[in-house]
Amino acid sequence: MTDMDGVWAALGGDPALPSRVSTVVRDGVLDARLPVRELARTCVGVCALAAAELGARRAGLGEVPRVRLDDGAVGTAFVSERHLLVDGRAPVNFAPLSRFWRTADGWVRTHANYPHHRERLLSALGVSGAEVPAVEAVLAERSAREVEEAVYAAGGLAVALRTPREWAAHEQARAVAARPLIQHERLDTAHARVLPLLPSAEAPLSPAAGIRVLDLTRVIAGPVATRTLALLGADVLRVDPPGMPEILDQHADTGFGKRSATLDLAADARAFETLLAEADVVVTGYRPGALNRFGLSAEALVERRPGLIVAQLSAWGADGPWAGRRGFDSLVQVATGIAAVEGTAERPGALPAQALDHGTGYLLAAAVLRALTEQAEQGYSRVVRLSLARTAAWLTDGIERAPGESGAPCAPDAWLAERDSPLGRLRYALSPVSFEGGPGDWARPPGRWGADEARWR
């Protein structure tokens, strides 16, 4: 069984369908000590196959369209944030205080891209101002684990470097390993969803046309999932708290095809309920339990909106002592031993892409698409859950490297496009999700963050 066969089976798919997927091999794509290219191919492949399957069902096609994976398109999309240009300006993907630091006994990595995270980091370290030398001096005198705990206690983000063996002995690693890569469950007995047929001659085939997706995610993995659903025709409305603007470049990279609104969930509960009443899918990317006080647990959402699909994403998983901690791809790499594997004796390393984010994003989109297909046959509200830490465990222990492959050179420009937008002239990576008759680009570029009304079209 190939990796794609295994993940497709985990999604509940027909075991005959992975034979519809073909791959164009290219050299020099996502090279790493760990099988990153194989992870990327599999995640994009099952997403495209799930889209083709749903599209075939809705268009009344006799067979599922063929899926064509191209290593060049996949590799380019997995670093889409690095290819982005806004009016010719390259993005800043990591702030000065988001980096590795040497400590008294090892290494720690911090994440301080958002102002509130930077302030909490500096407060925990007792540093005034944001000068790198001052932070270096403080961290050099403290242990990595001490820094990790102190910064997290202050609401910031810092993770000590661990080897794979050290992570395997951690209680959080055991909690993560006990869960499947893709968790899914049925919550009620709602009627089967009636998805209107798509015109068979429609070009392109848009499997998610007419599906309303409420996007409560931030940064990369969740927005990649909803960006993909938007590519496939879904009406995606991203909703953020009004006082927490998204970083401009991240919004520009992952906002394609969506609308962006702000909503205070506490003060505007009625407005949210109006949105929920007509939503088909809700995607959340906050810490497990963080939204429960707003009545946004999966169970509460389904109780108020029977037939809903809830897709939940987290950094560390839903169980274990770290379940409630904030996290990002770079920090999960450090905790799980990936940074140690990809580094040297002198310094930790990193994957050639934020592959946990991008890979999990495509898996999440695939899980939603498969849930829509199954729901049309069987009914039930459905919940799917994924985490960056579980994807990391799959990368380190569950994927086989493709032996001795060689192919054509990779030229990323072939998978880049340009267009005007309210944010300026954008250069961006095209989606790698490709199947016969499917869309090749998003219907609309990203607009300004928070500029849309919090209502469905």
Side-chain angles (χ1 to χ4, degrees):
M1 177 182 289
T2 67
D3 293 313
M4 192 167 301
D5 290 331
V7 176
W8 184 248
L11 288 164
D14 180 347
L17 288 184
S19 64
R20 308 287 297 170
V21 181
S22 62
T23 303
V24 177
V25 178
R26 297 190 187 275
D27 292 333
V29 174
L30 301 176
D31 289 337
R33 292 172 183 165
L34 291 167
V36 179
R37 177 169 64 171
E38 288 78 1
L39 175 144
R41 279 181 186 165
T42 301
C43 295
V44 173
V46 296
C47 183
L49 188 57
E53 176 193 39
L54 179 60
R57 177 183 179 84
R58 295 192 65 189
L61 302 180
E63 62 179 5
V64 172
R66 293 190 175 277
V67 169
R68 182 178 182 270
L69 286 177
D70 192 306
D71 278 348
V74 172
T76 301
F78 262 59
V79 290
S80 61
E81 65 274 12
R82 300 182 200 169
H83 289 294
L84 176 72
L85 293 178
V86 181
D87 285 333
R89 178 187 58 81
V92 176
N93 291 311
F94 286 101
L97 298 185
S98 297
R99 48 168 279 190
F100 283 109
W101 308 84
R102 189 180 288 278
T103 64
D105 62 349
W107 292 88
V108 69
R109 181 152 190 169
T110 56
H111 197 288
N113 284 5
Y114 288 101
H116 58 291
H117 290 157
R118 182 178 63 249
E119 292 167 6
R120 293 168 186 172
L121 170 67
L122 294 173
S123 175
L125 299 179
V127 177
S128 60
E131 296 297 327
V132 168
V135 176
E136 281 180 328
V138 170
L139 292 178
E141 296 178 352
R142 301 174 68 172
S143 75
R145 303 288 176 89
E146 177 193 355
V147 171
E148 177 181 272
E149 292 305 318
V151 173
Y152 263 104
L157 295 111
V159 173
L161 178 71
R162 289 171 171 82
T163 65
R165 178 174 293 184
E166 289 171 333
W167 176 245
H170 197 285
E171 188 176 347
Q172 188 61 36
R174 293 192 291 270
V176 168
R179 292 287 188 170
L181 177 64
I182 302 161
Q183 301 176 52
H184 43 85
E185 60 182 301
R186 302 187 303 191
L187 288 187
D188 62 16
T189 56
H191 294 296
R193 182 182 300 277
V194 178
L195 293 173
L197 288 177
L198 301 173
S200 58
E202 181 179 344
L205 182 62
S206 298
I211 300 298
R212 287 174 167 168
V213 178
L214 196 52
D215 178 2
L216 307 179
T217 70
R218 294 176 74 83
V219 194
I220 296 179
V224 163
T226 52
R227 179 181 71 182
T228 303
L229 296 173
L231 172 82
L232 299 170
D235 179 8
V236 178
L237 178 63
R238 172 166 164 166
V239 174
D240 286 291
M244 295 182 64
E246 182 59 283
I247 296 169
L248 172 62
D249 292 335
Q250 290 179 349
H251 172 68
D253 177 46
T254 60
F256 280 88
K258 311 176 192 179
R259 291 177 297 122
S260 169
T262 60
L263 191 65
D264 185 325
L265 295 180
D268 298 323
R270 182 175 296 180
F272 180 82
E273 292 304 313
T274 300
L275 291 173
L276 177 64
E278 297 186 36
D280 301 297
V281 180
V282 174
V283 186
T284 68
Y286 292 81
R287 291 169 293 141
L291 297 177
N292 289 5
R293 68 185 187 278
F294 300 112
L296 301 184
S297 69
E299 294 77 11
L301 288 169
V302 166
E303 183 177 354
R304 303 201 303 279
R305 174 62 166 151
L308 188 70
I309 293 171
V310 181
Q312 296 180 327
L313 169 75
S314 64
W316 305 106
D319 306 303
W322 284 17
R325 289 193 173 190
R326 298 174 178 86
F328 295 94
D329 181 305
S330 58
L331 302 182
V332 176
Q333 289 189 40
V334 172
T336 58
I338 290 173
V341 171
E342 294 292 338
T344 65
E346 291 75 31
R347 187 176 178 84
L351 298 176
Q354 294 191 69
L356 307 180
D357 261 332
H358 286 272
T360 307
Y362 289 111
L363 288 179
L364 191 66
V368 169
L369 293 165
R370 285 252 60 249
L372 286 166
T373 297
E374 290 185 343
Q375 200 177 55
E377 300 169 352
Q378 305 163 8
Y380 294 95
S381 295
R382 294 167 188 270
V383 180
V384 297
R385 295 185 177 93
L386 290 91
S387 73
L388 303 186
R390 186 60 183 84
T391 302
W394 177 47
L395 174 64
T396 55
D397 298 315
I399 301 178
E400 294 186 9
R401 186 181 293 276
E405 290 188 313
S406 62
C410 178
D413 287 353
W415 296 281
L416 300 176
E418 291 192 14
R419 68 198 300 181
D420 291 320
S421 79
L423 305 177
R425 182 73 176 173
L426 301 181
R427 187 191 74 175
Y428 60 98
L430 294 168
S431 175
V433 175
S434 176
F435 56 93
E436 289 179 345
D441 200 351
W442 289 273
R444 54 178 287 167
R448 297 190 181 281
W449 180 85
D452 296 296
E453 295 184 31
R455 63 179 180 83
W456 299 113
R457 286 185 293 204

